[in-house]
């Protein structure tokens, strides 16, 4: 087993900077997903790891062995890195059979034919393609082709497996079963895996740790739970599916709690926070999911309730989206199927008054978009 | 992780002194491209530089000389030079006009009508383009001979007249024969755009009330205008560069064009006027490069690529009785471009001497195949075609691969360099190469040998070879190569195991085309070959010049049969390859 260490990685293409500065340690046996929108540098990082790109600066080691160092002018070519890689386009060689495709790494490693044939068959059976060995690779369906590609990448028991958006060409149903297969093989073989995707759901479902990247930098690094519940920036919150990311102002700081006002409204909200990062008067952002906003009819007076008017609704079958105008700020809320009975036919019609309850522990305080985190830690005298 | 214990010695560890940028493949960096740039400069650019140098020297290549404007002044003040220029323009212009019109009519008949015989046109055109210009020079030289050529003997018998109908050694003959090949060339370039035309635009015009003919003239021709203009320029360039046909048919009639003038300045002057030949060559090079640049501007960077569009299946136009006119037109073209010359060539080769009545035998073939010189010439020609062709294809593959995989601006330079030989007519290239190789120690000793001829032919066909292999290389998904590297293949192994098998069909057919062009080429060996080791085309020219027309024809037939045999071998190999893939594919 071997881990991966990336330090100060930078990759430039002419004047364009694809990866600015990446530091990342991956433990042996860990499954790490690189997540981000297109152009964020995740694929470039993966390709640098594979040796398919030469980084501009930095160091990479696989296991304890350095494979790239700009300072020492060291570059181990991809064929010497003992890695397996699954490509977005499957990249099966059309002039070879399924068996020849999977067996190619073994042939190059000069494994004797009999052993190789056994290993090929073993892997093809694991991906449920044991009976397709002698077929031409391109005669298979997309999902089958990607399973062949997976078998080929793993056949030589690589220390590190790299995945470059392997499921993005497959349909949704196939994606789920392939996902399970990939994680299963990872656990069984005990490899270290690095998985590039732009799909946050895929990253969360697969990985032990998720690295969210943006503009060539790491935005946040954490477990799926951390990312899902406590995003560290407005960018990550938005990317992780927080429908509401709104500017707010800290009104007072209580032990383990903040009281904030939505910018532009007098409404106050309470939220849990024991970081001690914020002081009264700080401009921050708050993020919460529409599913955590409860819509109520009637005049509730409890604190932490926002009053607004329905602007628009859209019916999604299992739920109903409600866009509510709270003093000029649009808040996205959601009514689940089980709550439909609470509302009369016209209760959510545009213009109707509603109350929104947001529980304090589902609101995440964030540095205001554009403002560096460090600035808000400076003492602000009020 | 201990898997990479060999990492230390396989890693490209550079000493600080020479600390250089590591690269993922052999050609990705500027440094990786450098050897190829140097080779290309030597092969493609140096001959033209040497031509310029040669024009300003007052002695033959290799001899000590002073710098001088003498050759330049002499050539450019000589009215004969301008007569030659005029002749070249007349020949290129008229053969282009005829060729393009014939090509357009045929392309229209093939793509839009129900004319009988239309399915024969495209294969016939491929054949006409593939046949060496020398084939047309010799066969039409025989066919249109005023006294004993097939055309005139048949005419005399039919009409009872004693006068010849047609003398091929004339402006009319010259233009006719050059037009035949130009028509085929223009056709193959224009048929793609013709097929790719968006039929819905045509239908829109018809719905708007335009008649069929009006649609063709007002919509189709207008939309095809850029393509037609580009093809016209290209065909004009080919007409300007024509050498074999003017040499065989024009020279006897006293018609000199640029390329034959250049040749005669060297071959029929004593001492040879290398300075004058170089000076006049430069004028031709400038004109051709200007035209090629113009054509690039018009066709964009598409050049030879035929526009691939959706295949629309619309009802072909039933042109009624006109289709019989179309069929006759196709028939006449097939007759004069393929059937008659081929028939005359074979017939003439069977006569003891050309025009010897109705006595036919294989005596010429026996004589040729037992003659040491001709057998050697055949051997060296097949060597040039097969080995030289293979070298040309490997060079072209390396260049194309490097150009497509390089990430620096240098790749543009390399791309331009590989196009240079295309812009230089054969005789001029031959002259430039002569200057180059004679001036270089080590190459001077090779002068006149078949190796140097082969090298020069490799240079001449590189543009064709690169264009034959480029589409196949571009089509390979880069991830197929990367998957191979990650699987443990070194770059060389990746090319052999993945890239080469995938492009093999294109490589084989490219090899075959290149072999034909190389073995049928006369312009290069005519200046670079010695009389002791001629190639077949040179020997054919010499025999023809000595009046041994029947033997020349027989020799050419032998070469054609050899090439045909080569084609069969390539076809069989291709069939075996595809069958092997096919069998495993159906083995579900």
């Amino acid at each position: 087993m071997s881990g991966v260490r990336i330090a100060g990685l930078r990759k430039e293409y002419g004047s364009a900077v694809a990866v600015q500065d990446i530091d990342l340690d991956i433990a042996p046996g860990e499954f790490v997903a690189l997540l981000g929108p297109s152009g964020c540098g995740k694929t470039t990082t993966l390709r640098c790891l594979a040796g398919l790109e030469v980084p501009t600066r930095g160091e990479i080691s696989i296991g304890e062995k350095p494979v790239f160092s700009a300072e020492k002018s060291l570059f181990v070519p991809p064929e010497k890195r003992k890695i397996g890689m699954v490509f977005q386009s499957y990249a099966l060689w059309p002039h070879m059979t399924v068996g020849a495709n999977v067996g190619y790494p073994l042939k190059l490693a000069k494994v004797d034919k009999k052993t190789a044939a056994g290993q090929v068959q073993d892997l093809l059976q694991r991906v449920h393609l044991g009976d397709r060995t002698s077929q031409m690779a391109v005669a298979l369906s997309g999902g089958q082709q990607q399973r062949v590609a997976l078998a080929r990448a793993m056949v030589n028991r690589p220390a590190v497996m790299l995945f470059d958006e392997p499921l993005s060409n497959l349909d949704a149903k196939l994606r789920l079963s392939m996902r399970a297969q990939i994680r299963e093989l990872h656990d069984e073989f005990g490899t270290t895996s690095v998985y590039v995707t732009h799909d946050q759901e895929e990253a969360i479902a697969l990985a032990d740790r998720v690295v969210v990247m943006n503009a060539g930098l790491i935005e946040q690094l954490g477990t799926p739970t951390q990312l899902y519940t406590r995003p560290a920036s407005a960018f990550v919150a938005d990317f992780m599916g927080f429908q509401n990311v709104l500017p707010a102002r800290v009104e007072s700081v209580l032990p383990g709690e903040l009281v904030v006002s939505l910018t532009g409204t007098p409404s106050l909200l309470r939220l849990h926070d024991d970081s001690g990062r914020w002081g009264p008067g700080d401009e921050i952002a708050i993020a919460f999911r529409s599913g955590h906003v409860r819509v109520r009819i009637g005049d509730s007076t409890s604190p932490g309730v926002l009053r607004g008017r329905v602007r628009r609704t859209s019916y999604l079958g299992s739920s109903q989206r409600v866009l509510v105008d709270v003093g000029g700020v649009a808040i996205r809320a959601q009514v689940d199927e089980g709550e439909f009975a609470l509302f009369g036919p016209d209760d959510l019609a545009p213009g109707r008054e509603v109350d929104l309850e947001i529980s304090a522990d589902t609101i995440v305080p964030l540095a205001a978009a554009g403002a560096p985190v460090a600035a808000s830690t400076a003492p602000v005298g009020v | 992780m201990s898997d990479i214990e060999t990492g230390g010695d396989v890693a490209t560890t550079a000493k600080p002194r020479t600390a250089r940028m590591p690269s993922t493949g052999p050609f990705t960096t500027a440094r990786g491209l450098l050897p190829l740039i140097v080779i290309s400069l030597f092969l493609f650019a140096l001959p033209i530089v040497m031509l310029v140098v040669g024009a300003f020297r007052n002695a033959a290549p290799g001899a000590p000389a002073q710098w001088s404007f003498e050759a330049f002044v002499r050539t450019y003040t000589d009215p004969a030079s301008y007569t030659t220029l005029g002749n070249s323009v007349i020949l290129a212009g008229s053969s282009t006009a005829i060729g393009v019109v014939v090509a357009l009519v045929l392309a229209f008949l093939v793509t839009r009508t129900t004319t009988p015989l239309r399915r024969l046109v495209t294969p016939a055109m491929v054949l006409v383009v593939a046949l060496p210009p020398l084939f047309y020079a010799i066969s039409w030289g025989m066919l249109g001979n005023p006294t004993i050529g097939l055309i005139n003997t048949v005419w005399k018998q039919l009409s009872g007249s004693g006068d010849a109908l047609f003398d091929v050694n004339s402006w009319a003959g010259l233009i006719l024969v050059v037009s035949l090949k130009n028509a085929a060339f223009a056709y193959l370039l224009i048929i793609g755009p013709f097929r790719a035309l968006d039929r819905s635009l045509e239908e829109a015009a018809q719905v708007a009330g335009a008649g069929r003919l009006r649609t063709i003239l007002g919509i189709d021709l207008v939309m095809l205008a850029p393509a037609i203009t580009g093809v016209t320029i290209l065909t004009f360039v080919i007409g300007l560069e024509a050498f074999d046909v003017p040499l065989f048919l024009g020279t006897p009639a006293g018609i000199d064009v640029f390329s034959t003038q250049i040749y005669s300045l060297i071959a029929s002057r004593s001492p040879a006027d290398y300075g004058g030949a170089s000076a006049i060559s430069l004028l031709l090079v400038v004109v051709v490069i200007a035209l090629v640049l113009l054509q690039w501007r018009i066709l964009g960077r598409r050049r030879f690529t035929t526009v691939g569009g959706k295949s629309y299946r619309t009802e072909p136009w039933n042109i009624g009785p006109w289709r019989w006119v179309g069929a006759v037109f196709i028939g006449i073209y097939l007759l004069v471009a393929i059937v008659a010359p081929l028939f005359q060539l074979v017939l003439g080769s069977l006569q003891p001497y050309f025009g010897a009545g109705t006595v036919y035998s294989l005596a010429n073939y026996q004589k040729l195949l037992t003659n040491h010189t001709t057998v050697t010439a055949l051997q060296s020609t097949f060597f040039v075609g097969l080995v030289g062709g293979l070298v040309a294809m490997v060079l072209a593959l390396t260049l194309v691969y490097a150009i497509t995989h390089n990430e620096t601006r240098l790749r543009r330079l390399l791309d331009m360099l590989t196009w240079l030989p295309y812009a230089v007519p054969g005789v001029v290239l031959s002259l430039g190469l002569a200057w180059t190789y004679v001036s270089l120690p080590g190459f001077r000793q090779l002068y006149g040998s078949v190796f140097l001829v082969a090298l020069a032919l490799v240079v001449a066909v590189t543009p064709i070879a690169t264009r034959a292999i480029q589409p196949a290389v571009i089509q390979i998904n880069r991830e197929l190569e990367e998957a191979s590297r990650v699987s443990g293949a070194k770059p060389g192994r990746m090319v052999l195991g993945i890239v080469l098998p995938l492009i093999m069909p294109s490589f084989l057919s490219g090899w075959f085309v290149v072999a034909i062009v190389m073995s049928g080429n006369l312009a290069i060996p005519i200046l670079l070959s010695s009389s002791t080791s001629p190639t077949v085309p040179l020997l054919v020219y010499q025999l023809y010049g000595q009046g041994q027309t029947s033997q020349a024809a027989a020799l050419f037939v032998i070469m054609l049969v050899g090439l045909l045999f080569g084609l069969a071998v390539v076809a069989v190999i291709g069939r075996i390859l595809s069958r092997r893939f096919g069998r495993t594919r159906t083995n579900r």
Side-chain angles (χ1 to χ4, degrees), chain B residues 513-524:
Chain B
V513 168
V514 162
I516 289 183
V517 172
M518 288 174 89
S519 40
N521 182 297
L522 175 63
I524 299 281

Side-chain angles (χ1 to χ4, degrees), chain A residues 119-238:
Chain A
Q119 266 172 278
V120 168
Q121 205 49 41
D122 172 54
L123 258 154
L124 280 174
Q125 257 151 22
R126 283 173 195 270
V127 296
H128 315 294
L129 289 170
D131 52 341
R132 303 298 183 99
T133 316
S134 57
Q135 255 179 19
M136 291 310 280
V138 284
L140 303 183
S141 72
Q144 290 171 330
Q145 286 196 35
Q146 197 56 300
R147 267 142 63 197
V148 175
L150 182 62
R152 176 181 68 186
M154 299 200 98
V155 74
N156 208 12
R157 299 298 173 103
V160 174
M161 279 291 292
L162 307 177
F163 298 87
D164 185 7
E165 308 213 14
L167 307 185
S168 54
N169 283 354
L170 301 178
D171 64 59
K173 212 171 163 189
L174 219 48
R175 237 180 277 168
L176 287 182
S177 69
M178 272 298 285
R179 217 192 261 175
Q181 182 125 53
I182 287 173
R183 182 69 214 208
E184 215 170 86
L185 283 172
H186 165 91
D187 292 340
E188 208 174 318
F189 284 21
T191 46
T192 307
S193 298
V194 184
Y195 189 103
V196 162
T197 179
H198 61 262
D199 180 346
Q200 47 103 357
E201 197 189 312
E202 202 169 285
I204 285 173
L206 268 171
D208 301 323
R209 269 198 306 163
V210 178
V211 179
V212 182
M213 290 181 66
N214 183 28
L217 286 169
I218 293 180
E219 279 274 343
Q220 190 177 359
L221 194 160
T223 63
T225 323
Q226 281 169 345
L227 281 163
Y228 197 78
T229 57
R230 310 302 289 183
S233 66
F235 173 83
V236 178
D238 184 47

Side-chain angles (χ1 to χ4, degrees), chain B residues 366-392:
Chain B
Q366 270 170 359
K367 210 162 154 188
L368 287 169
L369 290 174
T370 51
N371 180 311
H372 178 69
T373 312
T374 46
V375 172
T376 316
L378 280 166
Q379 282 168 347
S380 43
T381 304
F382 289 126
F383 165 80
V384 163
L386 285 178
V387 179
L390 184 61
V391 171

Side-chain angles (χ1 to χ4, degrees), chain A residues 58-327:
Chain A
E59 311 213 338
I60 301 174
S61 25
I62 295 176
E64 297 301 308
K65 213 78 193 172
V67 293
F68 173 77
S69 163
E71 210 162 280
K72 295 178 199 149
S73 275
L74 171 101
F75 176 78
V76 178
E79 63 267 23
K80 304 284 184 195
R81 292 194 179 188
K82 304 271 171 172
I83 47 176
M85 187 158 174
V86 183
F87 294 85
Q88 184 173 3
S89 71
Y90 323 138
L92 296 185
W93 301 301
H95 60 298
M96 294 185 190
T97 60
V98 168
N101 264 287
V102 178
Y104 191 73
L106 298 173
K107 190 171 141 194
L108 290 169
K110 302 202 167 57
V111 175
D112 75 271
K113 276 191 180 165
K114 218 173 152 191
T115 322
Q119 266 172 278
V120 168
Q121 205 49 41
D122 172 54
L123 258 154
L124 280 174
Q125 257 151 22
R126 283 173 195 270
V127 296
H128 315 294
L129 289 170
D131 52 341
R132 303 298 183 99
T133 316
S134 57
Q135 255 179 19
M136 291 310 280
V138 284
L140 303 183
S141 72
Q144 290 171 330
Q145 286 196 35
Q146 197 56 300
R147 267 142 63 197
V148 175
L150 182 62
R152 176 181 68 186
M154 299 200 98
V155 74
N156 208 12
R157 299 298 173 103
V160 174
M161 279 291 292
L162 307 177
F163 298 87
D164 185 7
E165 308 213 14
L167 307 185
S168 54
N169 283 354
L170 301 178
D171 64 59
K173 212 171 163 189
L174 219 48
R175 237 180 277 168
L176 287 182
S177 69
M178 272 298 285
R179 217 192 261 175
Q181 182 125 53
I182 287 173
R183 182 69 214 208
E184 215 170 86
L185 283 172
H186 165 91
D187 292 340
E188 208 174 318
F189 284 21
T191 46
T192 307
S193 298
V194 184
Y195 189 103
V196 162
T197 179
H198 61 262
D199 180 346
Q200 47 103 357
E201 197 189 312
E202 202 169 285
I204 285 173
L206 268 171
D208 301 323
R209 269 198 306 163
V210 178
V211 179
V212 182
M213 290 181 66
N214 183 28
L217 286 169
I218 293 180
E219 279 274 343
Q220 190 177 359
L221 194 160
T223 63
T225 323
Q226 281 169 345
L227 281 163
Y228 197 78
T229 57
R230 310 302 289 183
S233 66
F235 173 83
V236 178
D238 184 47
F239 206 78
M240 296 309 291
F242 281 74
Q243 292 86 351
N244 299 292
V245 181
L246 306 167
R249 186 169 187 275
V250 179
E251 295 298 336
S252 54
V253 181
L254 307 172
E257 248 183 21
L258 295 178
V259 178
V260 300
S261 62
L262 271 180
T263 303
T265 71
S267 319
L268 292 182
L269 280 170
R270 289 170 42 168
L271 54 95
H272 287 302
D273 178 66
D274 43 21
S275 69
R277 288 198 290 169
W278 321 104
D282 284 355
E283 296 294 338
I284 64 167
I286 55 169
F288 50 92
R289 293 174 187 278
S290 60
H292 292 143
V293 180
R294 272 186 299 169
V295 184
R296 292 287 174 263
I297 307 293
D299 347 57
S300 162
T301 45
S302 52
V305 165
L306 303 173
R307 173 149 304 170
R309 284 181 190 281
V310 174
R311 219 188 258 177
R312 206 167 53 232
T313 60
S314 53
Y315 178 63
L316 300 178
S318 64
S319 65
Q320 187 164 16
R321 290 261 167 88
V322 189
L323 186 67
V324 181
D325 189 323
V326 179

Side-chain angles (χ1 to χ4, degrees), chain B residues 53-111:
Chain B
V53 170
F56 294 102
R57 281 164 48 107
N58 60 0
Q66 270 93 48
W67 296 103
S68 144
F69 280 100
E70 187 271 328
F72 242 80
V73 173
R74 179 161 44 82
T75 312
Y76 287 91
T77 53
D78 184 359
S81 300
Y82 297 98
T83 314
T84 312
L85 176 65
N87 285 349
S88 282
V89 170
I90 291 171
L91 175 63
S94 50
S95 64
T96 299
I98 297 172
V100 169
V101 169
V102 169
L104 286 176
V105 171
L106 289 175
F108 168 73
L109 291 176
V110 167
T111 54

Side-chain angles (χ1 to χ4, degrees), chain A residues 2 47 73 75 79 89 93, chain B residues 1 12 479-480 482 485 497:
Chain A
S2 60
R47 290 172 59 82
S73 275
F75 176 78
E79 63 267 23
S89 71
W93 301 301
Chain B
M1 87 215 177
T12 28
E479 289 191 344
L480 291 178
E482 289 169 356
R485 291 294 299 278

Side-chain angles (χ1 to χ4, degrees), chain B residues 196-219:
Chain B
L197 256 191
D198 192 344
R199 296 282 165 95
S200 58
L201 294 173
E202 233 174 68
E203 283 155 10
Q206 279 167 12
V207 170
R212 214 67 199 249
L213 194 65
R214 176 139 188 189
T215 308
I216 289 161
L217 297 177
I219 304 290

